[in-house]
Amino acid sequence: MPLSRATLASYLPILTWVRSYDRDMATSDLVAAVIVTVMLIPQSLAYALLAGLPAEMGLYASILPLVAYAIFGTSRALAVGPVAVVSLMTAAAVGQLGLTEPAQIAQAAVTLAFISGLFLVLLGVSKLGFLANFLSHPVIAGFITASGVLIAASQLKHLLGVGASGHTLLEMLISLGEHLTEANLITLAIGGATLAFLFWVRTGLKPLLLRAGLGPRMADVLAKAGPVAAVAVTTLLARAFDLGAHGVKLVGDIPSGLPPLSAPSFSPEMWSALLMPAILISVIGFVESVSVAQTLAAKRRQRIDPDQELIGLGASNVASALSGGFPVTGGFSRSVVNFDAGAETPAAGAFTAVGIGLATLLLTPLLYFLPNATLAATIIVAVLSLVDFSILGKTWRYSMVDFAAVTATIVLTLLVGVEVGVTAGVLLSIFLHLYKTSKPHVAEVGLVPGTHHFRNILRHRVETRPEIVTLRVDESLYFVNARFLEDYVLNRVAASPELRHVILMFPAVNEVDMSALETLEEINRRLAELNIQLHLTEVKGPVMDRLKRSHFLDELSGRVFLAQYDAWCALEAAAPLGTEQKDLAAQ
């Protein structure tokens, strides 16, 4: 059966925006592409270094993946490519394999991108984008903060020109201390000067250019070109003074030409070792990417499709694998620059790919003398913007549970490693959800005098009656929290021998699963044995539909009321409540 045009367009978003593409859009996209290309060239090289891979793989990962996202992605501003956190996770995943041959290491990174891409596409086709919602924002913020610290620490060896190693913060610091006496002063001078220059460029260059009379657009372009200037100047210095002969580590030969077609390894052993890291990289990359995409789309009153974003990012990773790259995702800083530069459609990404392709063809011989210290400084400046320890203070003041989860994520990431940290973050996010919903908020409510409203007796001055108790349930009921409700009701009944009516108020209950239904039946049975009637009020239509398909309503000792005030008036009047009076209101 052939696909309809609408179905085809849903899987190929390019068919939606390309029909209205015009010269003005093309001009805006080209300008944005030039700015992002200038920014992406040094970043691509630096993130390949961070991932422990040859520099050219960073450029390869910035060409075909951008084209794939332009075809399959739904965000008009998201800029896909290598990013710091995913590069760090790639280094950790490939490093655990114990490979020593550069070709084997490169193929492992390609395989990692391929597995990640397949996993993302599978999630997208299965419409499972909602799974990202199980990752709490505080936990993700904690993981990214810890990763930023780890990334910055991992680059200190390049600033010092020493051969330190380690995968955790403690290992890195100990190794740096052991090799500190081997530091190369020229390397340190280059790295330190580049670091200071890039920090100044981020905050001071654009205002200076504006005061000099340049327009905002040109000032922005020149400010974003700061890393390119640092690369050019330090490369020229290294060549002019033959700094490589003085112990300064250089990038060396970078093959010219477009990315070669490559194939992942299909070794069962490698797939087994890389499967879990690939899943973690996919989850973290998708959460980071979709958060940026949604934020930027909202500013222009546009929308993205999370499930199609999974397909777009998956296709980008598969494209990266087939062109000799490593895992990619949507980058925050690049996407913001792309947005601010005026990108109108995903074609801006395709134009950026052309720019990176030209750089790969023409500029790579010029990068032979590029010092590694320059790339390290570029990485440090980029990732320190990710570090935000204020999340600890925010969660401390707001929720001790969230604070404990964030703290555990940060500590484990720093002291044990990236994979343990991100795994802990995922598990803690799920645990937090289950913990919070396992103890739903249940409030005993009473009538606000002179109104038809019912409020918490602990927060408001309300009317109550000793023979009636109303419990408002503020959470859907399912297998995790059903037992909690049963214990709560029976404990409340045990504390008041005079009770004759228990009302469960359900305005916030959107779901009652089978376990919760059995719990309600048990509550009804236990209360009936105590000569207490159970009533329900403000039951939502879908929940009522479910209850009607069971025997619960037939066996209910009390009634179902449309409104809580109706139940209050009926029970206050002490009307006989036989089974023939049940009002199964259709809501």
Side-chain angles (χ1 to χ4, degrees):
M1 181 178 178
L3 292 174
S4 67
R5 179 178 296 181
T7 302
L8 190 61
S10 69
Y11 285 105
L12 294 171
I14 188 175
L15 299 178
T16 300
W17 56 264
V18 77
R19 289 197 298 267
S20 59
Y21 201 68
D22 55 29
R23 181 177 297 179
D24 291 338
M25 288 182 174
T27 301
S28 297
D29 287 342
L30 280 169
V31 171
V34 169
I35 296 173
V36 174
T37 300
V38 167
M39 180 182 185
L40 189 53
I41 290 173
Q43 275 193 358
S44 298
L45 298 170
Y47 291 148
L49 178 71
L50 173 60
L53 301 169
E56 64 269 16
M57 290 187 70
L59 296 173
Y60 297 163
S62 304
I63 300 177
L64 284 188
L66 280 70
V67 177
Y69 185 82
I71 297 172
F72 294 99
T74 61
S75 171
R76 300 200 171 198
L78 191 70
V80 171
V83 300
V85 173
V86 170
S87 297
L88 177 66
M89 296 176 71
T90 298
V94 175
Q96 72 177 3
L97 300 178
L99 303 175
T100 55
E101 293 293 327
Q104 293 178 332
I105 294 173
Q107 188 178 47
V110 165
T111 305
L112 187 65
F114 188 74
I115 299 173
S116 177
L118 291 183
F119 180 71
L120 287 167
V121 170
L122 179 63
L123 289 182
V125 172
S126 304
K127 305 295 183 183
L128 295 177
F130 70 91
L131 291 177
N133 297 332
F134 285 93
L135 285 170
S136 73
H137 173 72
V139 166
I140 290 298
F143 170 72
I144 291 177
T145 291
S147 297
V149 173
L150 274 182
I151 291 168
S154 72
Q155 298 308 298
L156 293 178
K157 63 182 180 183
H158 298 296
L159 289 183
L160 296 170
V162 299
S165 59
H167 296 290
T168 69
L169 183 61
L170 191 59
E171 290 174 353
M172 292 177 191
L173 295 179
I174 291 174
S175 184
L176 281 171
E178 292 173 347
H179 293 83
L180 199 56
T181 56
E182 305 167 11
N184 184 290
L185 295 181
I186 300 176
T187 300
L188 181 59
I190 291 174
T194 303
L195 202 60
F197 172 73
L198 292 177
F199 273 121
W200 174 76
V201 163
R202 290 176 72 91
T203 56
L205 182 57
K206 186 174 180 179
L208 181 65
L209 295 174
L210 291 174
R211 288 196 297 270
L214 266 69
R217 178 63 65 88
M218 182 57 66
D220 191 60
V221 172
L222 292 177
K224 297 297 186 297
V228 175
V231 166
V233 171
T234 55
T235 300
L236 290 174
L237 288 174
R239 181 172 185 176
F241 295 99
D242 193 17
L243 297 182
H246 294 81
V248 176
K249 292 183 173 61
L250 307 175
V251 169
D253 284 316
I254 299 178
S256 297
L258 294 175
L261 288 177
S262 59
S265 167
F266 290 98
S267 162
E269 292 79 11
M270 183 172 288
W271 276 62
S272 175
L274 293 179
L275 180 59
M276 185 53 64
I279 291 174
L280 295 176
I281 286 173
S282 301
V283 171
I284 293 298
F286 173 66
V287 170
E288 180 180 352
S289 179
V290 80
S291 298
V292 176
Q294 287 175 333
T295 300
L296 297 180
K299 291 183 178 181
R300 290 182 180 170
R301 297 189 178 183
Q302 297 168 348
R303 299 192 66 185
I304 67 163
D305 180 351
D307 292 321
Q308 184 60 32
E309 281 299 291
L310 283 165
I311 296 175
L313 292 174
S316 297
N317 276 280
V318 171
S320 183
L322 297 180
S323 57
F326 56 97
V328 298
T329 192
F332 176 76
S333 58
R334 275 198 307 275
S335 299
V336 171
V337 169
N338 197 38
F339 179 87
D340 290 341
E344 292 286 344
T345 72
F351 293 148
T352 300
V354 173
I356 301 295
L358 291 174
T360 306
L361 281 170
L362 305 175
L363 301 181
T364 50
L366 304 178
L367 297 173
Y368 178 92
F369 289 95
L370 173 61
N372 285 346
T374 301
L375 295 179
T378 302
I379 292 173
I380 291 173
V381 173
V383 302
L384 285 183
S385 63
L386 303 175
V387 177
D388 180 19
F389 283 107
S390 67
I391 190 66
L392 292 172
K394 293 175 183 175
T395 52
W396 173 269
R397 291 187 296 270
Y398 189 77
S399 168
M400 288 302 297
V401 174
D402 284 330
F403 172 77
V406 170
T407 303
T409 302
I410 291 176
V411 170
L412 287 172
T413 301
L414 292 177
L415 299 184
V416 182
V418 173
E419 286 192 14
V420 173
V422 70
T423 302
V426 172
L427 295 178
L428 283 170
S429 294
I430 297 172
F431 171 77
L432 282 176
H433 171 73
L434 295 176
Y435 176 79
K436 290 174 181 177
T437 58
S438 69
K439 297 183 178 181
H441 182 259
V442 178
E444 185 173 339
V445 299
L447 179 65
V448 178
T451 73
H452 292 184
H453 301 297
F454 289 78
R455 294 293 183 268
N456 194 324
I457 64 172
L458 301 178
R459 295 177 178 272
H460 301 272
R461 185 170 297 175
V462 294
E463 296 178 4
T464 61
R465 294 185 62 83
E467 70 274 14
I468 302 173
V469 65
T470 299
L471 302 176
R472 189 189 68 219
V473 182
D474 294 333
E475 183 77 53
S476 290
L477 298 175
Y478 69 122
F479 65 95
V480 172
N481 59 22
R483 181 60 183 269
F484 175 87
L485 179 64
E486 180 181 352
D487 292 341
Y488 190 99
V489 171
L490 297 178
N491 288 337
R492 178 63 184 86
V493 168
S496 301
E498 68 276 15
L499 276 180
R500 291 295 174 264
H501 302 281
V502 172
I503 304 173
L504 292 181
M505 190 175 173
F506 277 11
V509 177
N510 297 313
E511 175 76 19
V512 175
D513 75 355
M514 193 66 189
S515 297
L517 174 63
E518 292 175 354
T519 295
L520 291 177
E521 291 173 340
E522 179 63 16
I523 292 173
N524 182 60
R525 186 187 67 78
R526 296 282 295 274
L527 293 182
E529 291 176 352
L530 299 173
N531 198 27
I532 298 174
Q533 292 183 321
L534 176 66
H535 311 276
L536 303 181
T537 68
E538 304 190 7
V539 183
K540 291 186 174 180
V543 176
M544 178 63 75
D545 293 341
R546 283 281 186 89
L547 295 180
K548 286 181 177 179
R549 293 202 291 268
S550 71
H551 297 291
F552 173 71
L553 296 177
D554 297 326
E555 299 168 358
L556 184 64
S557 59
R559 299 170 58 182
V560 178
F561 294 91
L562 185 64
Q564 173 62 26
Y565 187 73
D566 295 342
W568 176 266
C569 293
L571 300 180
E572 188 180 38
L577 296 173
T579 56
E580 70 281 1
Q581 292 179 285
K582 292 176 184 175
D583 177 18
L584 305 183
Q587 302 174 49

